[in-house]
């Protein structure tokens, strides 16, 4: 199976967020073709969640897993640690009080 370039996936994701009237933007620009992607959901109340793409061995497919959920400052620390070990990583921040991120929708998995 061919892998979708990170930059192309992120552009499509941001367009999908915009159609749903959800604010999203790139905070860290990683490698265009193969950079891993972290999605930070800012709940706009001092808390945030972080999602990372993973591979589900049981179902043999890619999925999004929750990497962190809690205090936004600690979420930023988690992202900083990830960035220090992976300079090619992308970070997309989504701002939504209702915690919508659309990652579970078809085509974004």
């Amino acid at each position: 199976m061919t892998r979708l370039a990170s930059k192309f996936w992120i552009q499509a994701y941001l367009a999908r967020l915009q159609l749903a009237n959800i604010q999203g933007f790139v905070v860290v620009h990683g490698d265009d073709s193969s950079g891993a992607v972290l999605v930070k959901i800012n709940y706009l109340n001092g808390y945030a969640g972080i999602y990372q793409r993973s591979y589900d061995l049981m179902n043999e497919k890619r999925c999004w897993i929750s990497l962190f959920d809690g205090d936004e400052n600690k979420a930023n620390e988690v992202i900083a640690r990830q960035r220090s070990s992976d300079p090619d990583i992308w970070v997309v921040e989504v701002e939504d009080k209702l915690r919508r991120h659309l990652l579970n929708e078809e085509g974004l998995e």
Side-chain angles (χ1 to χ4, degrees), residues 5-94:
S6 301
K7 183 177 181 178
F8 182 75
W9 184 90
I10 287 170
Q11 289 171 338
Y13 180 54
L14 293 174
R16 181 93 59 102
L17 289 170
Q18 185 177 20
L19 288 172
N21 291 319
I22 300 171
Q23 292 291 323
F25 45 93
V26 174
V27 179
V28 176
H29 186 288
D31 182 77
D32 286 347
S33 59
S34 63
V37 178
L38 293 180
V39 177
K40 174 185 171 188
I41 314 302
N42 185 336
Y43 307 142
L44 303 174
N45 63 358
Y47 294 93
I50 302 172
Y51 289 86
Q52 178 178 10
R53 205 157 170 217
S54 184
Y55 189 78
D56 181 352
L57 293 173
M58 297 295 285
N59 295 315
E60 298 182 349
K61 66 177 185 174
R62 292 199 173 275
C63 62
W64 288 91
I65 61 167
S66 176
L67 186 62
F68 177 85
D69 192 64
D71 180 77
E72 184 181 6
N73 291 327
K74 289 184 181 176
N76 291 333
E77 291 171 11
V78 169
I79 291 170
R81 280 194 303 273
Q82 293 282 336
R83 289 186 63 203
S84 69
S85 65
D86 184 358
D88 294 332
I89 201 164
W90 288 78
V91 180
V92 175
E93 183 162 338
V94 176

